[in-house]
Amino acid sequence: MINNPYLKSFKDYLKLERSLSGNSIDAYLTDIDKLFQYFDSINKHTNLKDVTSNDLKLFITWINELGMLPSTQARVISGLKSFFSFLLLEQIITIDPTALLESPRLSRKLPDTLNIIEINQLIEAIDASKPDGMRNKAILEVLYGCGLRVTELISLRISNIHYESEYIKVIGKGNKERIVPIGASALKFIKIYIEESRVHISIKKGFEDYIFLNRGGTGLSRISVFTMIKALALKAGIKKASVHIPSGIHLLPI
């Protein structure tokens, strides 16, 4: 990894301010290092203060030509956004060159195989005028936009959303932490849900930081999410089996 004087400070920032794990921090630094590798490859030794949005767009073209998957490209862009936001915060730079940088559109997937048309039909089937409408829109956007498992979705925390850098911190299997890029649409619906719907819920102690809550003010269950998706599929006329729910399980109210 290239020895840049600002990387150590950024590493300390991620550890102390963002409370990221060692693996997540290493992933950030590795992705940022790709930018320096790009500059080396074109023999351009640019000071970070002089990096422009055009430089970054050319860099994204470069990693795309290397065959990097869109999901990996999105993670790299998320890392760059965090890095340059940090440099701006520390007044090392005066203009953030990542401000207009867009992430590649990620493939969308739900807990079961649905195509994009069917996913849009699910979202359109949601009645936004109902108390849970905006929450359910946000749930679907996060599920298919970020490719999360349902267990990861229901454990998401408000403190793990990073709006400016467009990523969320997810706790997966084995309590392993990972950083996942999140699109503007999903962030928009999360923000609307939190500010306009969630505020009217009487939240039970211990669930204050959970993003998605049921009407009783506690966290959602996997079954409640599956039930919601099945109900929307039925309403939208989607006949394929959207989510399997084992027989004999009492479906909890969502």
Side-chain angles (χ1 to χ4, degrees), residues 132-180:
D132 300 330
M134 195 53 64
R135 182 203 62 187
N136 294 344
K137 280 180 177 288
I139 284 175
L140 290 183
E141 286 282 349
V142 174
L143 272 178
Y144 74 69
C146 301
L148 301 187
R149 301 179 182 89
V150 175
T151 50
E152 294 173 332
L153 172 96
I154 61 179
S155 63
L156 285 175
R157 309 298 177 94
I158 294 175
S159 57
N160 289 342
I161 308 174
H162 298 274
Y163 290 96
E164 292 185 1
S165 302
E166 295 184 351
Y167 78 84
I168 52 177
K169 186 166 65 174
V170 174
I171 307 299
K173 288 185 177 181
N175 208 35
K176 291 184 178 179
E177 175 189 292
R178 62 192 180 101
I179 299 301
V180 179

Side-chain angles (χ1 to χ4, degrees), residues 65-160:
E65 291 173 349
L66 291 178
M68 190 175 289
L69 294 173
S71 58
T72 306
Q73 292 181 39
R75 191 194 68 207
V76 171
I77 292 173
S78 176
L80 289 177
K81 284 178 175 289
S82 291
F83 182 51
F84 282 97
S85 292
F86 163 74
L87 296 179
L88 190 65
L89 181 68
E90 295 295 309
Q91 299 183 336
I92 296 169
I93 59 175
T94 56
I95 298 176
D96 184 357
T98 68
L100 301 178
L101 203 61
E102 296 183 357
S103 296
R105 190 171 183 82
L106 302 178
S107 60
R108 299 180 166 189
K109 61 180 182 178
L110 280 169
D112 189 37
T113 303
L114 295 170
N115 59 44
I116 292 178
I117 293 176
E118 290 167 331
I119 291 168
N120 288 331
Q121 288 174 337
L122 286 182
I123 294 176
E124 290 171 1
I126 295 172
D127 185 350
S129 67
K130 292 187 175 181
D132 300 330
M134 195 53 64
R135 182 203 62 187
N136 294 344
K137 280 180 177 288
I139 284 175
L140 290 183
E141 286 282 349
V142 174
L143 272 178
Y144 74 69
C146 301
L148 301 187
R149 301 179 182 89
V150 175
T151 50
E152 294 173 332
L153 172 96
I154 61 179
S155 63
L156 285 175
R157 309 298 177 94
I158 294 175
S159 57
N160 289 342

